[in-house]
Amino acid sequence: QVQVQESGPGLVKPSETLSLTCNVSGGSMSSSAYYWGWIRQPPGKGLEWIGNIYHRGTTQYNSSLKSRVTTSVDTSKNQFSLRLTSVTAADTAMYYCVCGVGTTFEYWGQGTLVTVSS
Amino acid sequence: NLLLTQPHSVSESPGKTVTISCTASSGSIGDNFVQWYQQRPGSAPTTVIYEDDHRPSGVPDRFSGSIDRSSNSASLTISGLKTEDEADYYCQSYDADYVVFGGGTKLTVL
């Protein structure tokens, strides 16, 4: 069973870059059976898809965030990462890393709360 | 762009049946599969329905999903409600290659 776990700073200053890493265990990141993604949830609000990255490095991003988002995979470390630049208070959210199988976000991390504040 | 609209909240009594709708606009609900996720307070979401009407192993058969192309909507039906079903429920689908979530529905079992 695949397990994913987010890590990274819980506090980021406005205008700076948010960087998170997701550690993967129990599944091969090189497998075409899986894809990897990020989803966030502002406090008290709904889920917002950030983007996906596939085993060959293809990426898809939410059009509203595309200009500020970068995702990458490091199969040697069993990790994938998220970078979100020029953050504002509106980027304060619980950030989840996920493993997708077929049409479904099958495996979720527990989430990491990132607060944007000076 | 596809927009998925859910009721903000629904409530029902234990033992009863509730249906949560997910209505598509600017697109056809039947074009791509719909998934449903349950999120209990303080926890990450989990899948309760995938590909319109399939239940993952471990999800009780009290949960069912359906698509109604005439109303351009998907539905999640939970029968024999239990207090443990109280949670937020999100539908999710795709618009071309983009992932779209509904706004979520808070289910209260009282």
Side-chain angles (χ1 to χ4, degrees):
Chain A
Q1 168 134 345
V2 175
Q3 291 184 309
V4 290
Q5 178 66 58
E6 309 85 357
S7 62
L11 181 64
V12 181
K13 290 182 168 56
S15 80
E16 295 191 345
T17 296
L18 179 160
S19 295
L20 296 175
T21 297
C22 184
N23 291 285
V24 179
S25 60
S28 171
M29 295 199 70
S30 300
S31 171
S32 61
Y34 305 122
Y35 55 94
W36 314 96
W38 293 94
I39 292 166
R40 71 180 184 179
Q41 185 172 35
K45 296 188 178 181
L47 301 172
E48 180 181 32
W49 174 68
I50 298 171
N52 290 347
I53 185 166
Y54 298 84
H55 74 290
R56 292 185 176 178
T58 305
T59 56
Q60 295 166 339
Y61 299 132
N62 187 320
S63 57
S64 69
L65 299 170
K66 190 172 184 176
S67 63
R68 298 194 291 131
V69 170
T70 304
T71 58
S72 60
V73 171
D74 187 339
T75 56
S76 67
K77 294 183 178 179
N78 281 344
Q79 291 179 341
F80 62 103
S81 301
L82 168 71
R83 280 173 46 90
L84 181 66
T85 61
S86 304
V87 297
T88 69
D91 295 309
T92 293
M94 185 73 78
Y95 284 75
Y96 294 100
C97 65
V98 294
C99 171
V101 179
T103 60
T104 305
F105 294 116
E106 185 70 20
Y107 305 103
W108 295 65
Q110 65 184 28
T112 187
L113 179 62
V114 179
T115 301
V116 178
S117 175
S118 56
Chain B
N1 293 339
L2 180 67
L3 180 66
L4 299 176
T5 301
Q6 301 180 232
H8 181 70
S9 63
V10 295
S11 62
E12 190 50 271
S13 302
K16 300 291 189 180
T17 297
V18 70
T19 297
I20 299 172
S21 62
C22 171
T23 302
S25 60
S26 300
S28 173
I29 196 73
D31 285 349
N32 293 286
F33 286 124
V34 174
Q35 283 61 240
W36 289 90
Y37 300 90
Q38 176 193 68
Q39 185 179 31
R40 294 191 173 109
S43 296
T46 60
T47 310
V48 291
I49 294 290
Y50 68 98
E51 293 181 1
D52 297 343
D53 57 7
H54 291 74
R55 264 189 325 275
S57 60
V59 173
D61 61 6
R62 302 184 296 106
F63 289 80
S64 62
S66 63
I67 299 292
D68 182 351
R69 288 176 171 76
S70 65
S71 61
N72 210 26
S73 65
S75 294
L76 171 69
T77 298
I78 310 171
S79 60
L81 275 169
K82 301 184 176 184
T83 55
E84 68 202 46
D85 299 331
E86 188 161 291
D88 293 327
Y89 291 85
Y90 295 89
C91 60
Q92 174 257 310
S93 188
Y94 295 85
D95 182 5
D97 292 331
Y98 298 100
V99 175
V100 181
F101 283 100
T105 299
K106 181 177 181 59
L107 169 62
T108 302
V109 182
L110 39 66

